[in-house]
Amino acid sequence: MESLRVFWGELGTFRYGVILLFVLTLTYIYHVIRRCVIVSRKVKPIDKQEHEGVSVIITSHNNAECLRRNLPSFLMQAYDNFEVIVVDECSEDDTQDVLTEIQKDYPQLRCTRIFPDTKFRFTKKLAINIGVLAAKHDILLFSEVNCRPSSMYWVKTMESYFDENTAVVIGFANYDFTEQNVRNSRMFRFLRFIKMMIMVKNKKYIFGDGCNMAYRKSYYIENRGFAKNSQSYLGYDNDMVRELSRFGAIKMTKDPNSYVIIDKSDKKGEINEVSYYYASKMRLAMTERIMIDGDMIVRLFFYLTAICLIVLGFYPIYVFFVMLTVFLTDVILLNICAICLKQKKLFLTSFIISMIGFVYRVYENGYSFFNKRKWS
């Protein structure tokens, strides 16, 4: 005990760095463990005696071939009481011909149109509002024209999470792992969905996903739709989550049957989703932005503190080992989250193994080098 007090006294100003690193390490580990617990926990849908009707709403602008390819996946859902509404948003291609052709085989398809000479011709929120007003059912399920359900039970699964106290249900949407050049986009959507799950768990309802989300028409009408901000592309999904959270619960589902697959090759003139995400964040208050990025801030300060201690020569081998251990813990638990969400090839097992081998080699062969420079 006496030797410990002597050691602590000899640390001098380094003791503040040690305390900061210790606190940041614990906070970092807490965040990554909590993230893994939230993602991996099982959430069962409601055992419902009667199922409600569902209206699927999709908007399209000059995407005739995309409709021809993806729309049948929405129309072939294994559900008794649903309709699909396509809002043609000022298209000037063969969209109307394609819709007429598909409608012959699928009577549950309904179409409406905003003509090219409409004053607000490029406002997505207007198209959504038209689709909502045309819907026959109270549960509205939204997706994009460049998406397709991963299962025939997409409508049934999303509807099963609704009860009388549910306002919004958000599902997972990501690119197919077989597509080329989508690794970064897949990683972004994966991390964004985890962030959304954590925010919902914290009862902070900020983000939605227009590729796969559902809410009630009655709440939309009561909230007056997008009346507060109807002329901006931003917020067609996020604003609804925030506004409708006043009426009921916000739920996230990670059931594989509720997944939606995004086709990268079908995207035409769409706003970049990373830019959309950060532009949406800029509309938030500073306190909300800090709350969203709290875990990233902890990570930044942890690595900065550890690197500073290493550069200053404070037991660098031990600080380096702590830093690598925390990093590997983060990567491994994130890999577990990817497995829980059935995301293949996001993280390579070989990468983790190589990092473990690297740490071992540093510890075995580099100890004498670091030991010469350690603080004394």
Side-chain angles (χ1 to χ4, degrees), residues 174-187 262-265 267 272-273:
N174 208 345
Y175 297 91
D176 192 339
F177 71 93
T178 60
E179 285 202 58
Q180 300 294 322
N181 303 319
V182 294
R183 185 180 183 87
N184 291 337
S185 298
R186 291 187 66 233
M187 180 71 73
I262 306 172
D263 192 342
K264 178 74 172 180
S265 61
K267 300 195 77 172
N272 182 278
E273 55 191 5

Side-chain angles (χ1 to χ4, degrees), residues 47 58 71 75 80 114 135 137-139 147-148 151 156 185 191 238 243-244 248 283 288 315 321 354-355 367 373 375:
D47 186 14
I58 300 170
L71 192 55
L75 294 164
D80 294 332
I114 305 174
H137 306 296
D138 192 44
I139 294 181
C147 301
R148 66 184 187 276
S151 165
K156 181 178 180 180
S185 298
L191 295 175
N238 298 337
E243 296 292 334
L244 300 187
R283 302 171 67 209
E288 291 179 315
Y315 293 100
F321 182 78
S354 64
M355 288 300 298
Y367 177 78
R373 301 182 58 222
W375 176 83

Side-chain angles (χ1 to χ4, degrees), residues 6 14 35 81 120 140 201 205 217 221 226 239 264 267 291 351:
V6 172
F14 278 112
R35 177 188 63 194
N81 188 17
F120 305 106
L140 309 174
K201 183 65 176 178
Y205 311 115
K217 177 179 179 179
I221 299 298
F226 300 107
D239 285 358
K264 178 74 172 180
K267 300 195 77 172
M291 177 180 57
F351 169 74

Side-chain angles (χ1 to χ4, degrees), residues 157-170:
T157 304
M158 293 291 286
E159 187 274 340
S160 67
Y161 282 83
F162 276 91
D163 60 14
E164 63 276 6
N165 299 317
T166 304
V168 180
V169 175
I170 305 171

Side-chain angles (χ1 to χ4, degrees), residues 213-224:
M213 64 182 293
Y215 49 79
R216 290 193 177 275
K217 177 179 179 179
S218 55
Y219 295 155
Y220 176 91
I221 299 298
E222 187 174 349
N223 190 65
R224 298 181 59 203

